[in-house]
Amino acid sequence: MQINGFSKLSKKDKIDWLLQHYLSDSNEARQILEQYWHTDKALQELHDGFIENSISNFYLPYGIAPNFVIDKKIYAVPMVTEESSVVAAAAKSAKFWSNKGGFKTEIAGTIKVGHIHFTYTGATSELIVFFRNIRRDLLDAVAHLQQNMQQRGGGIKDVNLIDKTTELPDYYQIEFKFDTVDAMGANFINSILEEAADYLNVKAEKMLSGQWQTVMSILSNYTPESLVRASVSCPLEQLQTPRLSGYEYAQKFLTAVAIAEKEPYRAVTHNKGIMNGVDAVVIATGNDFRAVEAGVHAYASKNGKYSSLSHARIENDQLIFWLDLPLAVGTVGGLTRLHPLVKFSLQLLQKPSARQLMRIVASVGLAQNFAAINSLITSGIQKGHMKMHLNNLLNLIEANPEERRRAKAYFSDKKVVFSELKKLLGRD
Ligand code: MEV
């Protein structure tokens, strides 16, 4: 069913139209949508304002992983996720490392990049001279857009012409490098790029003999120069399990990581586990998880083959385990000013700078990865997963407290199988 002007309808009319055309039981459907409306009208309007055509709210659980010792500070980390085992795994891992020195982090840089992608039909040498002559004026032309950012210690850090003609005929870039301090900086970067492109279009027309066409001006979500490392380490004997000596455990752990380094099929799942933690914190702090995801996976392929983001080695009878993550996150601007829960998250994290948030996010990613590998090389993943999943299944069949108790006792030493659960509770 097609419609013109859907966005101009009131929320009620949008819902009426949808129910009429797409849903058979419109009373039930309306109830589902309305039961998620916030009773506080102002708050509901705030949420409706985030996007176009909002008709309800989609809740995700907001959980806490306490006991995160990161660079000697203790955090209770907010995590937003729908996956049942994620917060539990992060919390378990945080506790495990809390008395082993915790997570240590280093920031290798906070530079973000953006490009004016353009084609030029004339000689490259002419373009090089043009850019050399105009570079200073170009920076002056966009100076007014970066005054505030400069006052905060950021701004444009570099601008260069890049010849890409070996990859695509006539294709060049003007590449800007930025430090956006505590802002994610997407609007700042894109505004500068578009203004710079306008300036260059005019100058190119007047000064160049060939044809310049600006194709697009946009920041890159690939941020290998905005990079954080989180690491943990402990003596091997502290890794002993009932079945494995500390050394055996560490060897198996190293092999598991090496498999993820070599084998893309495993690397994708390994990194997905890391992103379980990363995304949960990124969302809780109002950051753009799609940007982070895209950048992280590009980084995982930086050597031409998709590989593990984390690495491990044994040195002086210690297991050293670390994760490198490109991250562009912000703690000011965007949703951080608007969403009450995002504000709460940032307060809970003691109002971190963007750099501190990078450290926290990377530590949670590493914690999540450790928890996953630990389960995989010892008990297997299903035990912990299914324990959490059992709750979801019990909710699905609306089990009463007595049935929940029986199911939990029954599955305490078995894999959870839905058909078996239903049989146990007589719900076949
Ligand atoms: C599940 O969401 C994530 C894991 O598959 C990650 C991994 O295998 O490392 C457990």
Side-chain angles (χ1 to χ4, degrees), residues 173-211:
Q173 301 168 341
I174 304 293
E175 181 181 78
F176 281 79
K177 297 200 174 193
F178 303 91
D179 184 344
T180 57
V181 199
D182 286 333
M184 195 270 186
N187 284 333
F188 167 74
I189 293 175
N190 289 333
S191 299
I192 290 196
L193 292 173
E194 288 189 359
E195 183 115 340
D198 287 347
Y199 178 83
L200 287 168
N201 288 342
V202 172
K203 294 288 168 188
E205 173 94 38
K206 283 193 193 139
M207 296 165 67
L208 289 170
S209 65
Q211 198 69 35

Side-chain angles (χ1 to χ4, degrees), residues 15-16 18-20 23-32:
I15 293 173
D16 286 347
L18 282 174
L19 299 186
Q20 189 188 342
L23 288 131
S24 50
D25 187 345
S26 56
N27 277 340
E28 193 194 346
R30 187 185 301 277
Q31 227 184 341
I32 290 172

Side-chain angles (χ1 to χ4, degrees), residues 43 46-47 50 335 338-345:
L43 199 53
L46 176 77
H47 281 265
F50 290 151
L335 270 197
L338 294 172
H339 198 302
L341 273 173
V342 170
K343 283 191 210 162
F344 176 85
S345 296

Side-chain angles (χ1 to χ4, degrees), residues 141-422:
V142 295
H144 64 284
L145 291 175
Q146 60 162 343
Q147 272 164 6
N148 283 347
M149 191 58 89
Q150 277 177 326
Q151 271 161 19
R152 287 190 263 142
I156 300 170
K157 295 292 156 192
D158 204 359
V159 54
N160 287 299
L161 168 69
I162 300 183
D163 181 354
K164 288 271 168 182
T165 52
T166 53
E167 286 161 55
L168 194 67
D170 300 339
Y171 171 39
Y172 300 85
Q173 301 168 341
I174 304 293
E175 181 181 78
F176 281 79
K177 297 200 174 193
F178 303 91
D179 184 344
T180 57
V181 199
D182 286 333
M184 195 270 186
N187 284 333
F188 167 74
I189 293 175
N190 289 333
S191 299
I192 290 196
L193 292 173
E194 288 189 359
E195 183 115 340
D198 287 347
Y199 178 83
L200 287 168
N201 288 342
V202 172
K203 294 288 168 188
E205 173 94 38
K206 283 193 193 139
M207 296 165 67
L208 289 170
S209 65
Q211 198 69 35
W212 168 304
Q213 186 186 43
T214 296
V215 181
M216 57 193 159
S217 307
I218 185 76
L219 93 170
S220 173
N221 290 126
Y222 186 39
T223 59
E225 291 176 73
S226 186
L227 197 67
V228 55
R229 171 170 293 185
S231 64
V232 284
S233 62
C234 75
L236 297 188
E237 70 253 20
Q238 291 182 5
L239 295 166
Q240 189 175 342
T241 71
R243 296 221 178 125
L244 298 170
S245 72
Y247 179 76
E248 286 165 336
Y249 178 99
Q251 283 298 339
K252 203 170 175 189
F253 193 94
L254 249 58
T255 308
V257 174
I259 291 170
E261 285 168 338
K262 294 285 172 216
E263 168 53 59
Y265 275 100
R266 172 58 200 150
V268 170
T269 317
H270 177 97
N271 290 347
K272 187 273 182 186
I274 293 171
M275 299 314 285
N276 278 342
V278 168
D279 283 342
V281 185
V282 167
I283 296 171
T285 54
N287 278 285
D288 181 342
F289 64 95
R290 287 87 53 212
V292 169
E293 282 276 345
V296 163
H297 295 298
Y299 189 76
S301 323
K302 67 182 187 308
N303 297 325
K305 183 175 164 189
Y306 193 89
S307 179
S308 171
L309 293 157
S310 65
H311 308 279
R313 65 171 192 273
I314 295 174
E315 201 175 284
N316 300 331
D317 289 329
Q318 300 247 340
L319 173 72
I320 302 172
F321 180 43
W322 73 98
L323 166 68
D324 290 331
L325 271 189
L327 279 179
V329 290
T331 55
V332 299
L335 270 197
T336 60
R337 260 196 311 236
L338 294 172
H339 198 302
L341 273 173
V342 170
K343 283 191 210 162
F344 176 85
S345 296
L346 292 170
Q347 276 164 14
L348 188 66
L349 294 173
Q350 311 298 300
K351 301 202 177 126
S353 63
R355 290 169 74 92
Q356 279 166 317
L357 185 58
M358 286 168 76
R359 298 176 193 278
I360 295 166
V361 169
S363 299
V364 176
L366 187 66
Q368 208 76 45
N369 192 210
F370 176 77
I373 299 174
N374 178 57
S375 296
L376 288 166
I377 65 169
T378 56
S379 58
I381 206 75
Q382 283 309 82
K383 200 167 158 221
H385 255 233
M386 279 306 188
K387 212 154 104 198
M388 301 299 291
H389 189 51
L390 179 58
N391 270 328
N392 287 343
L393 297 179
L394 288 166
N395 290 341
L396 193 68
I397 59 172
E398 296 177 0
N400 64 36
E402 168 55 19
E403 288 174 322
R404 283 170 194 267
R405 198 198 50 71
R406 265 173 57 211
K408 282 180 185 166
Y410 178 82
F411 286 111
S412 66
D413 57 353
K414 293 184 200 56
K415 289 221 157 73
V416 179
V417 180
F418 193 33
S419 56
E420 224 172 293
L421 172 70
K422 285 197 288 189

